Amino acid sequence: IRLTDAQYSDVLRHAASTLSGSSSDLTAVLTHADRGGKGTRSLGAAIGRLAEAQKAMGAALGSALKANESSAESAGTMTEYASTDDPEMILMALRGAKNISSDTDRRTLLETLAPRALRRINPTMRTAFFEAAAVTESDTDRRAILLAALRFAQGDKKVALAVFQLVAKMTSDTDKRAVLSKAAEQRLLSTAELRAAFMNAAKTIESSTDYTAVMQAALRL
């Protein structure tokens, strides 16, 4: 059965309102509904339906978040929607991560999203990821987020730069040491800009023991 554009819009609205709690069920309905409209449909119409489906997913995500009663539930909901690997859903989840009240829940979400967001070398996603990381006050949680990000710094030097800039704003010397030492071990000090950012972060370490350990890691390159 081929759906008209009006029928397809009705399906989207109904699915978004009734299936907002399950992104997998919603995605299945949208995919099945769209199959009925292929064939001779023009490229313009196909693009229009894709945009409409993304809008419906966004609306469903918003509804699901409003129904959540805790930051853990919100983080879980955003993780589920981003698991579709749809760039728009991932970006929505990254931006929503800033509003999660718990640093630990935000860390869990960002650790999950890091591979999906940072492997794309997408400036918008990278910015959204590190903006969410920046509002994390716990150094322990921020360290975990930055270590997750470093896995993708070889493919995108700006990831390493963003990591060093956030390390400089941390208060725990031990957590700074852990991130900077890992960056050095991964041989991420390949440009003058990265080396300067690394040193700026290292100079904020007050503990001589931790500072020495970071410098030794850098000199082993």
Side-chain angles (χ1 to χ4, degrees), residues 59-142:
L61 174 58
S63 297
L65 291 176
K66 288 180 181 178
N68 292 339
E69 297 181 354
S70 70
S71 64
E73 288 178 336
S74 293
T77 297
M78 285 187 277
T79 299
E80 182 182 355
Y81 272 80
S83 68
T84 62
D85 211 35
D86 182 293
E88 292 298 323
M89 291 299 104
I90 294 171
L91 186 56
M92 286 181 189
L94 289 172
R95 288 172 173 167
K98 291 176 61 177
N99 299 318
I100 292 177
S101 58
S102 163
D103 283 348
T104 300
D105 292 331
R106 185 185 305 106
R107 180 202 74 201
T108 300
L109 174 60
L110 291 179
E111 284 180 315
T112 302
L113 293 178
R116 298 178 183 126
L118 299 181
R119 66 176 169 77
R120 299 173 185 273
I121 314 181
N122 180 295
T124 302
M125 285 192 184
R126 182 176 59 242
T127 296
F129 181 93
F130 285 104
E131 284 181 348
V135 302
T136 303
E137 297 181 357
S138 162
D139 279 350
T140 300
D141 290 315
R142 183 181 288 193

Side-chain angles (χ1 to χ4, degrees), residues 143-160:
R143 178 189 67 189
I145 293 169
L146 297 183
L147 287 174
L150 279 179
R151 298 201 304 270
F152 306 92
Q154 286 288 359
D156 185 357
K157 303 302 182 186
K158 290 185 178 180
V159 167

Side-chain angles (χ1 to χ4, degrees), residues 16 54 94 108 152 161 170 181 186:
Q54 289 176 332
L94 289 172
T108 300
F152 306 92
L161 185 61
M170 295 166 68
S181 295
Q186 293 182 201

Side-chain angles (χ1 to χ4, degrees), residues 1 3 6-7 13 26 56-57 79 82 119 147 158 165 201:
I1 300 174
L3 301 178
Q7 290 172 328
R13 283 192 294 270
L26 179 57
M57 288 287 284
T79 299
R119 66 176 169 77
L147 287 174
K158 290 185 178 180
Q165 291 170 342

Side-chain angles (χ1 to χ4, degrees), residues 178-194:
V179 178
L180 294 179
S181 295
K182 176 59 70 174
E185 291 171 8
Q186 293 182 201
R187 300 182 180 275
L188 296 175
L189 311 183
S190 57
T191 68
E193 182 181 25
L194 287 173

